[in-house]
């Protein structure tokens, strides 16, 4: 195998996203001059990113080296791994490789975002791609979306293996399977460096089997006395298949609610990844034509995420169907880090609406990410010389490093990298290789990157104590106040409760301006600074709050 | 016993806070005309309460019936149960009853908030208080602060029992103990209605023993190779005692960092609830005089909450001491609902700073709230005729109701009440008793209740897409624009990136105003509405964002 490809002198591996965070996965492997990119994911914003819709990796490094890029590989169809593909291809028109379902979903994304002419190359999981200095192979993994693969770049220094998201399910559901033999063979042939999924590195044991979930869902649907709602991730085609079969077996019809869900199901059916039993689905408009015990309602919310849809239905705010007394709700979802409160509030609202909620006591959902025993199994199969825990917050990477140590990979051979941090390999030996630029590009509405730190800082300030605007019109010639000062506030105090406070503030501003006018100090910036400072101090003394203060001066 | 007290015809029980939420506990029991209040807690704000410091119950109902109030009982010294006592006593100067430590902490709160002349009556847990229509007794419980008690109002219709926060620890630490026999006796004599803690009703099994925690903490401190940081809740005197003894045993000194921690420890030592071994504590200024293996640093953050202090120390932002490579950090805290992300980020930061973090793999902290088996034990001891699950979000109350059903209390005898919902008892039989007014009073800085829904709604809007202000000065006489329009934005887009957009917006506003001036439509409110609508539509089309739009018109 190695005879076909040229030897590589220097290998560089780094992450532009996906380490020290959940999502936004993008890894770069450089074989001398040749650049390979793996995944192009988005991240959903963290709490402090007020108003931001999503975050993508800054790919300046790649744009500047465009001609050297050989390929972008997409490992599966989750947004965290391919959601940025349209933004990336707009700037880097390079060939993309992925399995059938992954590319089907990527194509839909490109279409939505108006990107045409992309070079999408479908690969079979058993395919071999030969590049100048690497042969690239794939191995099937089990994850919460079908057609997931890991990827291996076989080089003269050994293989570089990226597992992507995976679990080991010894009794997988449907056609999903793990290429266990192939993984073992890669390990036997020699892995220089393994990059593996750290998401569940803090969780002991095993993640649980989808076959058990199928049984549990069928049992709940079979025994329910009223309607059954199932909320799952739009991309979890395995879960959707389980629900369709369970409904069919118990003689129920399935109404599918949610645009993303419809889109994903259409693609999966067309490409042969989902089988809809004859006449099992009905239109949401026809729900009223069936009895409660004849119905399953399958749903997801806005971003293909289940909880927002349930929240609306529990609060009686969905246009098509809402939760009523006697409904059973299966929540086939994990709590995403940072969304615990929203999850809990939704469960609350469902109970309040009278539903029987199934979400923790029974195994109606399992994680798509392997837990500690599975991660150790991967490490033992691959037996890598060097190890880079990826996919996860720092503490998860750290926990993954501890697991590696437990199976015999010493700390010196494990690299807990940050974004942009390069590990360099020469002659099969690793060392630190400096840093490359990296960053977050924030997407807010149609704007890509126009919301920066200043805007976010302002939103944060505004969210805490609101804003207070002092506006005044000056007469240039007479050097007097022509109108105002007027004080307007939003998000600070309720006006009626604080008329005196704001009147005092107005008088104070008027006094400052008059003093400045008298002394002919008509430099606006210093006048504004005076107003800002005096108001800030006055308001803090009176209220212990610090609203943003915005003096506006006009001239007539 | 019943002979001493007068019969009661009508009993009313309701909550002004503490059901459907975590914190802000306040329960009211009315025996005909006599009103008894139990607890007066604060709640720390939820995510969407932007900028709010804390929340207290609206006590309008009580203020209007002040003369009927016999007593306020405080069950233990946690802020969620007595943090609002100063606000309450300012408006309701009624007698307060509590155990020694609880009143010691309440007194400090009153002093801080400048409330004098409060009638604080210390009660021994074995005391009996005789009122007109009830004898009141207490029973010791184990919780994460010493001197916690449950309370029982013995009436002619039976006992009304409020457990407050509790767990059953069969091997409690130190002098803490549970009055198991007394509880059983209350149950034998007949409980009309039980109000019990639902916090951990969703968690199976037992909460774990403090004696195990003492062993684990001593083991970690004994074996650590560098400094040991312990972060715990300031009020967790049991945990503090364990750390002091463990440090003493291993020959280490303890530096205490945190104002609240110092305050609570001083009170606990003075009242005899904490024993500081001779010379074990040192001043934080003297840390440098000791070797790493001679030191334990005990800390909490701003609100007596451990994570914020660790966050600052991990980020090297504490004035006195910060985390360095080789430190061991014991996180003796649970993740509070809604604070999961902050917790996780702090653990991350500690690892990044080079610490060995002990927080989940070893039992260095146990919850102060009983899990399912403990809650069932309480139900079986009290054998109540009626049951009201309190202390918790709705799903926890619901889970608690399921536990009650499992031990034989039927759904008809369990009341899942909302705040303000009254349960009325006559002749030992319960029925719904209507509603009383209730609500949240938001505290922001010095303001109590001046931040209402409108202000919060504005802060929410501002936090999402910022604000855009369009200001113009009109000449009344000539009916022309005298100055402006000028457009200023904050938190919307970064100005330099969007000059054209804002210039276009200015032209649009000028055009609208001129059209209105020409047609003599000088009604300001409709002019403002026109500007707001046009700008909103224009900006949404261009950016898919909806900033708050604030037109300001001045006249000269």
């Amino acid at each position: 195998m190695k005879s076909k490809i040229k030897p590589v002198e220097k290998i560089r591996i780094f992450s532009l996203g996906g380490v020290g965070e959940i999502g936004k996965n993008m890894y770069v492997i450089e074989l001398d001059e040749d650049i390979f990119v793996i995944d192009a994911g988005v991240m959903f914003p963290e709490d402090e990113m007020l108003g931001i819709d999503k975050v993508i990796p800054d790919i300046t490094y790649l744009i500047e080296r465009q001609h050297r890029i050989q390929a972008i590989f997409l490992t599966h169809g989750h947004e965290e791994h391919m959601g940025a593909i349209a933004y990336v291809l707009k700037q880097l028109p390079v060939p993309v490789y992925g399995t059938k379902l992954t590319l089907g979903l990527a194509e839909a994304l490109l279409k939505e975002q108006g990107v045409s002419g992309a070079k999408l190359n479908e690969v079979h999981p058993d395919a071999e791609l030969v590049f100048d200095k690497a042969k690239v192979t794939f191995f099937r993994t089990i994850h919460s979306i079908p057609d997931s693969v890991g990827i291996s770049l076989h080089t003269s220094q050994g293989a570089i293996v990226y597992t992507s998201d995976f679990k080991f399910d010894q009794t997988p559901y449907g056609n999903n399977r793990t290429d266990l033999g192939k993984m073992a063979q890669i390990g036997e042939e020699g892995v220089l460096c393994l990059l593996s999924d750290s998401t569940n590195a803090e969780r002991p044991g095993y993640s649980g089997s989808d076959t058990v979930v199928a049984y549990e869902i069928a049992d709940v649907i079979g025994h329910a006395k009223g309607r059954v709602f199932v909320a799952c991730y739009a991309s979890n085609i395995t879960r959707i298949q389980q629900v369709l079969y369970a409904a069919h077996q118990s003689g129920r019809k399935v109404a599918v609610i949610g645009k993303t869900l419809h889109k994903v199901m259409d693609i999966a059916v067309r490409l042969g990844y989902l089988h809809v039993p004859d006449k099992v689905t009905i239109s949401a408009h026809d729900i009223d034509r069936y009895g409660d015990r004849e119905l399953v309602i399958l749903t997801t919310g806005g971003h293909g995420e289940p909880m927002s849809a349930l929240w609306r239905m529990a609060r009686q705010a969905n246009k098509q169907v809402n939760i009523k007394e006697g409904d059973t709700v299966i929540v086939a979802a994990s709590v995403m880090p940072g969304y615990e409160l929203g999850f809990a509030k939704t469960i609350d609202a469902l109970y309040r609406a009278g539903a029987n909620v199934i979400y923790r006591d029974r195994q109606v959902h399992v994680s798509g990410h392997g837990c500690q025993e599975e991660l150790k199994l991967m490490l033992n199969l691959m037996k890598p010389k060097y190890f880079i825990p990826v996919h996860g917050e720092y503490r998860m990477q750290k926990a993954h490093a501890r697991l590696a140590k437990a199976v015999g990979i010493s700390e010196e051979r494990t690299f807990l990298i940050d974004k942009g941090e390069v590990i360099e390999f020469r002659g099969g030996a690793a060392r630190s290789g400096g840093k490359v630029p990296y960053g977050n590009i924030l997407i807010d509405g149609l704007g890509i990157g126009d919301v920066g730190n200043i805007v976010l800082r302002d939103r944060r300030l505004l969210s805490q104590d609101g804003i207070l605007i002092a506006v005044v019109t000056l007469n240039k010639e007479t050097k007097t106040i022509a109108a105002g000062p007027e004080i307007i506030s939003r998000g600070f105090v309720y006006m009626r409760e604080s008329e005196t406070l704001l009147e005092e503030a107005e008088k104070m501003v008027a006094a400052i301006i008059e003093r400045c006018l008298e002394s002919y100090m008509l430099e606006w910036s210093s006048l504004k600074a005076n107003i800002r400072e005096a108001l800030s101090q006055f308001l803090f003394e009176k209220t212990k709050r610090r609203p943003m203060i915005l003096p506006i001066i006009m001239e007539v």
Side-chain angles (χ1 to χ4, degrees), chain A:
Chain A
M1 169 199 311
K2 284 176 187 168
S3 59
K4 290 188 203 163
I5 54 165
K6 286 190 201 151
V8 57
E9 196 181 319
K10 187 170 78 176
I11 299 174
R12 281 156 53 92
I13 300 179
F14 56 89
S15 160
L16 291 177
V19 295
E21 64 195 8
I22 296 280
K24 204 163 121 278
N25 286 287
M26 179 174 262
Y27 303 91
V28 179
I29 298 169
E30 296 185 0
L31 306 179
D32 293 328
E33 290 300 297
D34 298 346
I35 297 179
F36 298 85
V37 180
I38 309 182
D39 285 340
V42 299
M43 183 165 76
F44 295 101
E46 300 185 318
D47 266 12
E48 64 259 44
M49 294 183 182
L50 295 167
I52 298 301
D53 299 322
K54 43 194 174 180
V55 185
I56 58 173
D58 184 335
I59 55 168
T60 309
Y61 179 91
L62 296 176
I63 292 168
E64 288 169 357
R65 290 155 185 84
Q66 208 175 133
H67 58 286
R68 289 169 48 193
I69 302 175
Q70 308 296 309
I72 297 179
F73 299 106
L74 300 180
T75 57
H76 62 278
H78 278 157
E79 294 261 316
E80 287 86 350
H81 288 260
M82 56 134 226
I85 191 67
Y87 304 103
V88 170
L89 289 188
K90 272 181 201 164
Q91 299 174 83
L92 294 176
V94 296
V96 177
Y97 297 84
T99 52
K100 197 200 269 186
L101 180 63
T102 308
L103 290 193
L105 292 164
E107 213 174 358
L109 267 189
L110 294 172
K111 207 173 151 190
E112 278 165 28
Q113 296 185 48
V115 179
S116 57
K119 286 168 264 175
L120 301 183
N121 304 285
E122 186 185 317
V123 290
H124 188 273
D126 290 329
E128 291 189 2
L129 304 178
V130 179
F131 292 89
D132 208 30
K133 292 183 177 174
K135 191 185 71 175
V136 176
T137 65
F138 307 88
F139 49 91
R140 292 178 185 84
T141 54
I142 305 268
H143 183 45
S144 40
I145 187 167
D147 236 13
S148 295
V149 293
I151 181 168
S152 179
L153 274 73
H154 305 266
T155 77
S156 64
Q157 290 189 41
I160 296 148
V161 178
Y162 170 76
T163 64
S164 193
D165 298 357
F166 75 95
K167 64 187 290 186
F168 286 106
D169 186 341
Q170 306 300 339
T171 54
Y173 185 81
N175 294 322
N176 301 318
R177 66 187 168 98
T178 293
D179 282 337
L180 209 55
K182 208 167 174 181
M183 292 181 192
Q185 199 192 334
I186 295 169
E188 287 300 316
E189 286 172 13
V191 172
L192 174 66
C193 184
L194 173 71
L195 291 82
S196 181
D197 174 8
S198 310
T199 311
N200 275 342
E202 293 182 297
R203 287 212 214 158
Y206 287 91
S207 57
S209 171
D210 258 321
T211 297
V212 176
V213 172
Y215 169 80
E216 290 284 288
I217 288 180
D219 193 58
V220 172
I221 292 181
H223 286 93
K225 298 208 168 56
R227 303 185 299 180
V228 181
F229 286 69
V230 186
C232 70
Y233 298 102
S235 62
N236 199 332
I237 291 159
T238 305
R239 198 71 68 248
I240 296 169
Q241 185 69 75
Q242 292 164 340
V243 173
L244 292 177
Y245 282 158
H248 189 58
Q249 273 162 33
S250 67
R252 288 177 184 249
K253 298 293 178 193
V254 180
V256 177
I257 294 181
K259 227 169 70 179
T260 319
L261 192 53
H262 275 290
K263 184 189 86 174
V264 173
M265 284 177 69
D266 286 349
I267 295 170
V269 168
R270 178 163 53 79
L271 300 180
Y273 290 86
L274 183 69
H275 172 238
V276 182
D278 197 29
K279 293 181 185 159
V280 77
T281 52
I282 60 165
S283 158
H285 302 294
D286 293 337
I287 287 176
D288 294 339
R289 296 174 50 199
Y290 293 86
D292 287 354
R293 296 185 68 156
E294 297 173 305
L295 282 170
V296 169
I297 289 120
L298 183 63
T299 185
T300 67
H303 290 89
E305 177 281 323
M307 300 316 282
S308 59
L310 286 183
W311 173 249
R312 276 197 309 278
M313 289 177 178
R315 308 281 292 216
Q316 312 298 311
N318 187 284
K319 279 175 205 157
Q320 294 168 302
V321 59
N322 289 302
I323 302 292
K324 65 180 187 188
E325 187 79 35
D327 288 341
T328 297
V329 179
I330 298 177
V331 182
S334 323
V335 190
M336 305 288 284
Y339 292 87
E340 292 85 355
L341 201 67
F343 189 94
K345 282 191 177 299
T346 303
I347 303 291
D348 261 357
L350 290 168
Y351 274 127
R352 280 183 193 275
N356 178 26
V357 190
I358 316 280
Y359 71 108
R360 187 150 58 170
D361 293 345
R362 299 191 62 170
Q363 200 167 25
V364 291
H365 181 64
V366 287
S367 172
H369 301 271
C371 295
Q372 293 182 347
E373 294 309 311
E374 293 156 87
L375 299 180
K376 285 189 272 184
L377 176 55
M378 180 62 88
L379 286 159
N380 281 329
L381 282 167
M382 292 295 173
K383 300 180 293 184
K385 191 166 173 187
Y386 295 100
F387 173 51
I388 304 178
V390 293
H391 282 268
E393 307 268 1
Y394 189 75
R395 67 187 180 282
M396 301 168 187
Q397 295 175 267
K398 189 94 185 173
H400 206 173
R402 280 199 297 270
L403 297 177
K405 198 179 168 190
V407 302
I409 301 168
S410 67
E411 282 167 22
E412 296 75 46
R413 295 192 283 132
T414 297
F415 297 100
L416 285 172
I417 57 169
D418 266 333
K419 283 181 280 288
E421 206 178 324
V422 182
I423 306 298
E424 199 176 290
F425 300 84
R426 283 173 192 266
R431 60 181 194 110
S432 168
K435 281 281 226 176
V436 302
Y438 68 91
N440 282 336
I441 305 285
L442 308 184
I443 298 182
D444 179 3
L446 294 181
I448 300 172
D450 64 346
V451 171
N453 286 334
I454 296 172
V455 172
L456 280 186
R457 189 205 57 197
D458 284 351
R459 288 185 186 171
R460 219 148 28 223
L461 277 175
L462 290 167
S463 78
Q464 288 306 299
D465 287 325
I467 189 168
L468 190 126
I469 302 150
V471 49
V472 67
T473 304
L474 303 182
N475 187 318
K476 258 186 304 209
E477 283 161 32
T478 61
K479 304 234 182 293
T480 56
I481 295 176
E486 204 171 305
I487 284 189
I488 296 137
S489 84
R490 288 290 184 274
F492 170 56
V493 285
Y494 188 51
M495 290 281 202
R496 268 180 236 162
E497 310 261 326
S498 53
E499 264 179 43
T500 356
L501 181 75
L502 297 184
E503 275 167 21
E504 268 185 79
E506 273 178 11
K507 278 183 204 147
M508 175 184 248
V509 172
I512 292 171
I513 294 169
E514 272 156 14
R515 212 162 44 235
C516 288
L517 290 173
E518 279 163 19
S519 60
Y520 294 95
M521 270 178 53
L522 260 178
E523 233 233 283
W524 283 18
S525 61
S526 71
L527 178 54
K528 280 182 183 177
N530 280 349
I531 294 174
R532 198 178 287 121
E533 205 173 299
L535 271 181
S536 178
Q537 201 183 327
F538 170 74
L539 294 172
F540 186 72
E541 265 168 31
K542 293 282 183 184
T543 67
K544 288 270 180 282
R545 293 177 210 174
R546 297 195 182 283
M548 179 186 284
I549 291 169
L550 194 61
I552 302 176
I553 301 171
M554 307 198 83
E555 265 186 346
V556 289

